[in-house]
Amino acid sequence: MKQEKKHSNVLLKPLINIVIGADSMKIDTKELQNNWKHYTLTNDSGMEVSFLNYGGIITNIMVPDKNGLVENVVLGYKDYNDYRTNPNFFGAIIGRVAGRIQDSSFELNGETYSLTPNEGKNHLHGGQNGFHQVIWNATPFQTASSIGVKLKHESPDGEGGYPGELVVTVTYELTNDNQLIISYEGTTTKTTALTLTNHSYFNLSGNLQNTIHNHHVTMDSHRFIELDQSLIPTGQLLDVTDTPFDFVSGRNLTDGIESTFKQNKIAGNGYDHYFLFDQQKKENVVVKEANSGRVLTVETDQPGMVMYTSNGLDDNLALAEGPSKPYLGICFETQSSPASLHHEGFPSVVLLPNEKYESRTVFSFGVDSYI
């Protein structure tokens, strides 16, 4: 079936346009102003993944629905200049530590490190000058069955308050099986805190036609981290049984969005919680959207993830397909838990100088005509 494409993300006219690869599988590079570059990976099936070297921000993911119609399934700004501040972290690489660090401080080896607060008294997603706001060095590559770009950043010792000179590499790789593979590597000169993720907001309806209320999520998790009123982990793991947090057999997101369950209310009527994976299934998360038939599968070697249902998304942002509003996207932030900096029993975010940080998450896109 011939695939029809509906592109909607508008970028500034490129200064230079470079194409690497064959007509089907290719890497298109647009050189923009201020040393920004916009890359588009296209596989043999016509799936596309577009992103900036600024913040490693994924701006578009174009995939077909059950009828072959190719549409965008992530949130992105209409004007790429809006990514300069990007308070919602659309599509960005998050670091050094993804998530919230209580009181913007932590202790390692008997020494206390103070970070810059950017959400009340707490530190969120690496702070105001986190990895989402740096220009990454980019190197395109191509294999027999995939194409991609390797992004590299060197963070100096003490940047943002974090110890250690850190060298980080994040690779975006698109395969001919419609898989987006995100791989992370990092080394440090001092004991430090590090857990990286990508903050894309997914909406499988295509071009933001509907909210995510009826996205059906199945998750390999029986436990999640309890939050206080400031969305800071209390140190308690809660069982999902008989709660709207039980996705083991699958449920629609609307169950939690419309729930009166305390933890859903604390998150602003939805989810913004760390789920600990049971590690019993290869597929950690499966998401289905009935109207489009699109299916997203998440597989990762990380111990868990934060699932965020865009409860606090403003309704006045100019996105590629129209104005933003709450519940327009869902994030699957695969990572370790920053709660481990203040509480025992959680997946550690500590990286030692003699260690190598390595992580891999695979987002696979498909269709199911019988949803």
Side-chain angles (χ1 to χ4, degrees):
M1 181 180 295
K2 185 178 180 181
Q3 296 181 344
E4 177 187 351
K5 295 185 179 180
K6 293 174 65 178
H7 291 270
S8 53
N9 200 17
V10 179
L11 297 175
L12 192 67
K13 182 178 180 180
L15 304 177
I16 303 176
N17 189 30
I18 303 171
V19 178
I20 301 174
D23 290 340
S24 54
M25 187 168 63
K26 63 183 180 180
I27 304 174
D28 183 273
T29 305
K30 297 177 181 179
E31 296 195 7
L32 307 173
Q33 297 175 348
N34 302 315
N35 296 318
W36 286 24
K37 293 183 179 181
H38 189 254
Y39 295 90
T40 297
L41 311 178
T42 306
N43 68 9
D44 287 342
S45 302
M47 175 180 167
E48 296 181 1
V49 177
S50 300
F51 54 92
L52 297 165
N53 64 338
Y54 177 77
I57 294 169
I58 295 175
T59 59
N60 287 79
I61 297 180
M62 309 290 294
V63 295
D65 68 1
K66 60 187 178 184
N67 298 314
L69 181 63
V70 178
E71 296 170 309
N72 183 28
V73 294
V74 292
L75 274 64
Y77 286 113
K78 182 177 182 180
D79 182 350
Y80 91 104
N81 288 291
D82 290 337
Y83 288 114
R84 294 185 188 281
T85 53
N86 198 14
N88 295 285
F89 305 94
F90 289 140
I93 296 171
I94 304 297
R96 292 188 183 188
V97 172
R100 295 174 174 86
I101 296 180
Q102 180 179 342
D103 297 327
S104 301
S105 68
F106 60 90
E107 184 178 307
L108 290 177
N109 298 331
E111 186 171 348
T112 299
Y113 295 93
S114 297
L115 311 176
T116 304
N118 64 324
E119 189 183 61
K121 63 179 181 178
N122 302 311
H123 179 86
L124 174 65
H125 291 334
Q128 292 181 344
N129 298 309
F131 291 172
H132 64 292
Q133 289 188 313
V134 301
I135 295 178
W136 293 67
N137 293 320
T139 305
F141 66 89
Q142 183 169 354
T143 71
S145 59
S146 69
I147 49 176
V149 174
K150 191 177 293 288
L151 301 168
K152 184 177 181 181
H153 175 60
E154 298 182 12
S155 177
D157 182 17
E159 184 175 47
Y162 289 96
E165 179 181 339
L166 189 71
V167 179
V168 174
T169 301
V170 179
T171 302
Y172 291 154
E173 182 177 7
L174 176 63
T175 74
N176 280 329
D177 294 324
N178 283 3
Q179 293 183 328
L180 170 61
I181 303 173
I182 305 182
S183 304
Y184 306 85
E185 296 181 358
T187 57
T188 180
T189 58
K190 296 179 181 178
T191 301
T192 193
L194 180 70
T195 185
L196 306 172
T197 196
N198 177 271
H199 209 281
S200 289
Y201 291 68
F202 295 95
N203 185 321
L204 300 184
S205 70
N207 287 358
L208 308 186
Q209 295 175 57
N210 299 300
T211 62
I212 58 169
H213 285 72
N214 291 322
H215 278 45
H216 187 270
V217 176
T218 305
M219 191 190 311
D220 181 29
S221 174
H222 277 88
R223 295 178 295 169
F224 70 100
I225 297 179
E226 182 183 52
L227 300 179
D228 67 15
Q229 294 290 341
S230 298
L231 303 181
I232 295 297
T234 65
Q236 298 296 316
L237 275 172
L238 302 182
D239 192 299
V240 303
T241 304
D242 296 326
T243 76
F245 287 74
D246 186 353
F247 291 93
V248 175
S249 298
R251 72 189 318 141
N252 285 347
L253 292 173
T254 189
D255 291 351
I257 293 172
E258 297 179 357
S259 170
T260 58
F261 187 65
K262 184 177 180 181
Q263 283 296 302
N264 292 121
K265 300 296 288 185
I266 281 176
N269 299 312
Y271 302 91
D272 194 3
H273 294 73
Y274 187 94
F275 289 79
L276 196 65
F277 293 135
D278 294 340
Q279 307 296 351
Q280 298 298 311
K281 299 179 181 178
K282 178 184 176 183
E283 299 172 337
N284 302 100
V285 183
V286 178
V287 190
K288 298 182 178 182
E289 203 277 327
N291 289 334
S292 68
R294 291 187 178 95
V295 180
L296 168 62
T297 301
V298 184
E299 300 174 33
T300 185
D301 55 14
Q302 287 293 278
M305 70 168 191
V306 173
M307 184 173 75
Y308 175 53
T309 47
S310 60
N311 325 315
L313 191 60
D314 295 335
D315 57 5
N316 59 353
L317 305 176
L319 303 183
E321 291 82 13
S324 63
K325 58 183 175 181
Y327 311 115
L328 206 52
I330 179 171
C331 302
F332 302 105
E333 304 163 49
T334 57
Q335 60 179 93
S336 286
S337 173
S340 61
L341 293 170
H342 295 92
H343 304 283
E344 295 182 357
F346 296 100
S348 175
V349 297
V350 175
L351 179 66
L352 303 178
N354 61 348
E355 294 179 331
K356 183 177 182 180
Y357 177 92
E358 292 182 287
S359 172
R360 186 174 186 263
T361 296
V362 180
F363 297 97
S364 303
F365 297 88
V367 293
D368 183 348
S369 301
Y370 301 100
I371 298 176

